[in-house]
Amino acid sequence: MNTKICSLLGIEFPLFAFSHCRDVVAAVSRAGGMGVLGAVTLTPAQLEEELRWIDDHVDGKPYGIDVIVPNKIEGKGQAFDAERMVAALPEDHRRFTAELLQRHDVDASDLDTLRRDYLNFGVNLQEGGAGELLDVAFAHPIKLIANALGVPPASMIARAKAEGVPVAALVGTPDHARRQIDAGVDILVAAGGEAGGHCGEVATMVLVPEVVRAVAEAGSEVPVLAAGGIVTGAQMAAAMAMGAAGAWCGSVWLTTAEAETAPAVKEKMLAATSRDTVRSKSRTGKPSRQLRSVWTDAWESGEGPQPLPMPLQSLITEPALAKINKLADGGHEGARTLATYWVGQGVGLMTASRGAGQVVQDFKEDFATAYERLHRLMEG
Amino acid sequence: MNTKICSLLGIEFPLFAFSHCRDVVAAVSRAGGMGVLGAVTLTPAQLEEELRWIDDHVDGKPYGIDVIVPNKIEGKGQAFDAERMVAALPEDHRRFTAELLQRHDVDASDLDTLRRDYLNFGVNLQEGGAGELLDVAFAHPIKLIANALGVPPASMIARAKAEGVPVAALVGTPDHARRQIDAGVDILVAAGGEAGGHCGEVATMVLVPEVVRAVAEAGSEVPVLAAGGIVTGAQMAAAMAMGAAGAWCGSVWLTTAEAETAPAVKEKMLAATSRDTVRSKSRTGKPSRQLRSVWTDAWESGEGPQPLPMPLQSLITEPALAKINKLADGGHEGARTLATYWVGQGVGLMTASRGAGQVVQDFKEDFATAYERLHRLMEG
């Protein structure tokens, strides 16, 4: 397609793949879309390794990275103190998690030790930590940098502009969109409430035209990508009929052959219906949509503690869930019932594992079929 | 448009207007869409009067009616006893409502008297009550009969088939769709969670392709209308790109010039954003999406009683809200903060009052514009 955003980024088809898996990123970019590597949990050294691998496997096609630099966060502005952060975790939350694991025959005695492996997330959420990631990223030929939560700091936008790299930002309301435009972002990602991961309340079908309208009313020409529930080319065509410049997808890559999603979770996702997700604060402290499981049901039951603010809640949940998903892959029954990961309602339409490049091809064909439907209505 | 559903119903443009207001129904049908009168709160005599008026004002164009005949309901199978039903309302619910009104300077002393005017809803939810409405409806040239909640009873479907009137039914999941197909309905309305009134959890962007796929997998050719959040022609085009046969809309008519929506509520709707709705059981006992107000906030606060099963909760809420909305129209400040009505997230895109016929024209133009967007992408 010969659109503004395709020219801006040098891509053929405006389908974006947010993924933590470098193989997915490279495969999507090679297939004509744009892979965007989720970098928030990586150390600078890990990011360097991932981007070097992508450079070697992307055939010179454009790709991007995704970070989280929220405007308001627990402990922002203070020097990051990992020990202090782990020590600040309330006993209630540790105990609730441990008891939940034990009830399903999962040993919980090593959770505090495991927590120490999950501190990068907290580090990267600080402006200083994100800065080190950016140093690494800008040393590679990235063509897009996205901020997944809130308005990026002025320093990040200024630096990206100096490097000639467009900045994208996720928004869940027209108000967010106006603030992002004022801050100078180049691309908006309107993420509906059906999206996996952090999401707002307004559904994609309403949010996309609302954000498109807000952009026009602001006299801006910033392109708007649609996110939330989109796992097929027909849905992408639908979003673009409403004025979106393309589709930003996360969930659909999770069940691809290349994805590093825990096999037990992949299997659950392929079997899940669109009703098998839940939007909950229990994983990160902010509302995010996840595959429903015994784990999410327990946190949503009202019997546990209230989620901690970001990033503390992640230090409670991520080590436990990493352990659970690993055990589930090994066939541990209790762990299988607990296993979960972020995914959107589109999971109901994801019923077979494919290669990531094949997903891009399927999107293109399905997009064309959807267009033909409207073409027959209008011209037939 | 020359589509299957247009031929089936004798309409020009597959835009459906669910409305309690006969003027909207007639205006939409005259403009080439299809008006569908919400009849569940009417007595047979009232329905007779409404349909006679529509017959006189619809220029021979097709229109339909919408009833609610749920499969499972409190008191179903028993003879309907209005006195017993009012007497069964718990003191907690009466008191919570009365105190909420009093806190906002609304006299609550007459609520029990007002309740007696709201018993039709309960009567019509019984199979016998609905049967009397159907007697009236089938004596008029209705071209569609819709059931808004659950699978219609076999008797209703058999009767409609005998009369040659297609039956539509609302569904919120692919499972619902399969059950409706098995029961023999002719048209499915896939209603996403962003819809006003009773709605499920799955967003329109996901539900529509999921139901379209379920229909195909069932070997059925039943057309699927998309509902939930749709207030523009571009959204309608989006839904049809995903395989929908048309759009079923409720909210967009509420702010039209013809609508009998309380003016104070209309004004609130035109000012509301897409975040100003809430999905709550507090109005009818089943989840329904409403304009947020001091009333819905109070019921959602967790400090009040749990909603009663349908139709009892409506006997608590409807008399109070009818009184509130009337006072709000008269300028009563407390009543204005409480005033609310069902509406979907699309309310955020509804910013100006128009005639209902004009809304249909705007849909047609906006649909064509949306098609042109895709056409330029594919052919340009």
Side-chain angles (χ1 to χ4, degrees), chain B residues 272-287:
Chain B
T273 76
S274 57
R275 298 183 78 186
D276 295 325
T277 72
V278 61
R279 182 176 177 268
S280 163
K281 290 188 179 179
S282 65
R283 182 136 184 183
T284 72
K286 290 181 184 284

Side-chain angles (χ1 to χ4, degrees), chain A residues 69 71 147 150-161 167-171 175-188 218 220 222:
Chain A
V69 191
N71 265 357
N147 190 36
V151 176
S155 59
M156 171 176 158
I157 293 181
R159 180 159 181 192
K161 288 207 187 297
V167 177
L170 266 72
V171 301
D175 265 347
H176 293 170
R178 282 182 278 268
R179 286 204 293 272
Q180 297 282 7
I181 291 169
D182 289 346
V185 307
D186 303 291
I187 296 166
L188 295 176
S220 166
V222 166

Side-chain angles (χ1 to χ4, degrees), chain A residues 264-280:
Chain A
V265 171
K266 228 183 233 189
E267 200 180 299
K268 277 188 166 187
M269 286 180 177
L270 293 172
T273 76
S274 58
R275 296 183 78 188
D276 295 325
T277 72
V278 61
R279 182 176 177 269
S280 162

Side-chain angles (χ1 to χ4, degrees), chain A residues 333-344:
Chain A
E333 268 314 304
R336 284 176 63 90
T337 64
L338 290 160
T340 178
Y341 194 70
W342 290 286
V343 77

